[in-house]
């Protein structure tokens, strides 16, 4: 099992910055990738940023150049540095960990409970 706990959300003015943290515990040795997703009220959850085992990253087009995802060694903690925040960045941000399980030929996803980010205009 993998447990994820997010922190760092809050209320910020447009143009400001926040850093989200996600602490992973449990069977973290098996994690292939981790990422941040967000869900705005009335909208579907969407990928914000992802980092893979080898350190490669993916970002949603809407956050490129503004957000940076990073991690420490052994997936202990993953961060999302958010700069130049916009009102449309508002939403609940969830930490995700992906685990590929060979024996079932499927991936498993673990989720934190999320942390709320509100950007005022």
């Amino acid at each position: 099992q993998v447990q994820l706990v997010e922190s760092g959300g809050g209320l910020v003015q447009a143009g400001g910055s926040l850093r989200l943290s996600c602490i992973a515990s449990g069977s973290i040795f098996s994690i292939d990738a981790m990422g941040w997703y967000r869900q705005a009220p009335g909208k579907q959850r969407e990928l914000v940023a992802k980092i893979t085992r080898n350190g490669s990253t993916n970002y949603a087009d809407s956050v490129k150049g503004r957000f940076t995802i990073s991690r420490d060694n052994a997936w202990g903690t993953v961060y999302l540095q958010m700069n130049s925040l916009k009102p449309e960045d508002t939403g609940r941000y969830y930490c995700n960990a992906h685990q590929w399980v060979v024996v079932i030929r499927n991936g498993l996803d673990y989720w934190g409970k999320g942390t709320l980010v509100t950007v005022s205009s």
Side-chain angles (χ1 to χ4, degrees):
Q1 300 289 336
V2 175
Q3 294 81 44
L4 305 171
V5 180
E6 307 99 329
S7 63
L11 175 65
V12 66
Q13 297 280 337
S17 298
L18 284 174
R19 189 184 74 163
L20 306 183
S21 299
C22 174
I23 299 175
S25 61
S27 301
I28 58 176
F29 67 90
S30 62
I31 295 174
D32 301 310
M34 295 186 69
W36 288 94
Y37 291 71
R38 69 186 178 191
Q39 187 168 27
K43 299 182 66 177
Q44 292 186 320
R45 188 175 300 186
E46 63 177 349
L47 173 69
V48 177
K50 179 176 67 177
I51 185 165
T52 61
R53 186 73 169 83
N54 66 356
S56 64
T57 57
N58 269 169
Y59 296 93
D61 288 340
S62 61
V63 307
K64 288 181 179 177
R66 300 188 298 120
F67 291 9
T68 303
I69 188 170
S70 61
R71 59 169 173 83
D72 65 0
N73 296 127
W75 300 102
T77 308
V78 64
Y79 306 93
L80 184 67
Q81 179 66 47
M82 305 185 295
N83 298 325
S84 301
L85 283 161
K86 304 175 180 179
E88 50 263 46
D89 294 319
T90 293
R92 193 165 188 88
Y93 284 68
Y94 298 88
C95 182
N96 165 263
H98 184 268
Q99 179 187 63
W100 179 254
V101 184
V102 175
V103 294
I104 62 173
R105 292 187 175 185
N106 201 5
L108 298 177
D109 284 289
Y110 299 89
W111 298 91
K113 294 181 178 180
T115 184
L116 184 63
V117 172
T118 303
V119 184
S120 62
S121 59

